Structure formats: C-alpha cells, structure tokens
Amino acid sequence: MKRLLLLGGVTEALAMARQLGPNHIYSLAGVGRVPTDLVCQVRVGGYGGADGLAQFIGDHGIDLLVDATHPYAAQMSQNAATAAQQAAIPCWALRRAAWQASSLDDWREVADWDELIVALAPFKRPLFTLGREPLQHLNEIPGHQFWTLRALDNYPGNERCEVIGARGPFLLEDERELFSQRNIDVLISKNSGSGATDPKLEVARERGVPVLVLKRPELPVVDREFSTAESLMQALRGDFL
Ligand code: NAP
C-alpha cells in the first residue's frame, strides 16, 4: 500500500488521521496536544525547512504529502509544496474556505501588525484572538487601551493587558459573557474558516462590535486542493485507505 505523510494543524486533520492505517504518518509541529490513541504513526516536531522535509519524504518512502496545516501556517505550506516538488511526489492540500462577512458584520481587513495598530487606535478594550503575537507588544499598549489577549496557554500580562490561556472551541454563551464582562469594543481575529461560523464573530455581530481581521497569507499552488476533509478522504480511497 502507498504511504501518506499528513501534515496536521487543524481539527479536521486529526479527524483524517483517525482514519489512517499503521503505514501512514501524521505529522505535528508540537505546539498543540499530541494524540496517543491513533492507529497511524505520529511524528512530532519540525523537519528543518523544506530540504529536511524532502529528505524525510525520500528516507521514508512517502508517496503523497497532504498539507492540512492551519490557513495562517504559511511557512509550512510553502515548505510542503517545495519539498514535494524536490522529492517528485504530489502535494495535496486542505484549504478551508474563508468566513464571509454578512451585511450585519463590521469587518475591517488589516494586512499586518502595523496596519492593525493604526486601525486599533480609536478603541479602548480590544480582545485579541490571534495567538501569541501581541505578547511581543505588551510594552507598546497606548494609555487609553486595556487589552484582553486570549492564547492557547497562559502567559504573564501586565497592568494594561490580561492574558487568558484557553483552548477552543468556545460556547456562544461563554463568548457573550467574555465580551460583556470585559466591555470589549473591538475584536481582533484571523479568518480561520473552521466551521460555518465562529461564536466570537457572532457575539461581535450581536453587540455591533467591529472586527479587525488579519488578512489570510498567500499559499502555494499544489497538485490538488480540497475545501473539506471529507472530499480529501474520498480522493484517498483506493490507493491510501
Ligand atoms: P508555520 O509558521 O507555517 O511553521 C513554522 C514551523 O513549524 C515550520 O517551518 C515547521 O518547522 C514546523 N511545522 C509546522 N507545521 C508542522 C507540521 N504539521 N509538522 C511538522 N512540523 C511543522 O506555522 P505556525 O503558524 O507557527 O503554526 C505551527 C503549527 O500550529 C502548524 O502546524 C499550524 O498548522 C498550527 N496552527 C497554527 C495556527 C496559526 O494561527 N498560525 C492556528 C492553529 C494551528 P520546520 O521548518 O523545522 O519543518
């Protein structure tokens, strides 16, 4: 049977990994939880760039690389496309569709941190849900702002920033309480596109709170792209499943 290397990073990747047999490898960066109950092999940690990944592909007789990393994990997606080309195997990717704003939403796209800071200036109580990047800027918080920063793990904040360590998915009711208790007046989010919508975006809409959305990175063109894990798994049937 042919051998698959699945690069994980999103929830659907784990669901896919659960369907893989012992010949296949599920690869994780090691930033999140590592499952211990899979039939397939699990590999944790980076490869040392595209060259290292291409070497791994050759050494382990991989026939197909599947990129199911997060839409903002642009480095790994680029490494995957480059390494597959170097190793002369196909690369497929799960590319989640982006969330779309409705007429009731006030979403403002920002390209990067500099644009984000400019767009943030009129607000007082932002809620950051971007991961750890804002932690590097805790000493730059303007005097009129108090930040609430939600990340996967707990980190020290300061007198102008509360850090909440919490892993989703989050319930609508809990998100409502978070916005209300902290008096959030702007939400900062990636456009991850998991599921049809996201409770924090629903709450922002309900409360008329603007959302600063970090622009999605450009991702490389690969041999086949799928918008759902189901369609990708369907394509694997026969040779890999
Ligand atoms: P990134 O910048 O694209 O990748 C950084 C490095 O992490 C890569 O160069 C690679 O190291 C290693 N890596 C990433 N995914 C890997 C995988 N599946 N298996 C083995 N090594 C991997 O990614 P990131 O934004 O730091 O995210 C790190 C991981 O968290 C990714 O797997 C991503 O899917 C997941 N994640 C990211 C976000 C987000 O918002 N960025 C959200 C949820 C989950 P080497 O170059 O040494 O191979």
Side-chain angles (χ1 to χ4, degrees), residues 7-9 27-29 31 45-49 69-70 73-76 79 190:
L7 303 175
S27 164
L28 291 169
V31 288
Y47 296 86
T69 59
H70 191 269
Q75 182 62 58
M76 195 56 187
N79 290 356
K190 291 178 175 170

Side-chain angles (χ1 to χ4, degrees), residues 6-10 26-32 43-50 53 68-79 130-132 152 190 192:
L6 171 64
L7 303 175
V10 289
Y26 178 46
S27 164
L28 291 169
V31 288
R43 184 191 178 280
V44 181
Y47 296 86
L53 180 56
T69 59
H70 191 269
Y72 286 74
Q75 182 62 58
M76 195 56 187
S77 291
Q78 186 54 60
N79 290 356
L130 287 177
R132 282 172 301 175
L152 287 182
K190 291 178 175 170
S192 300

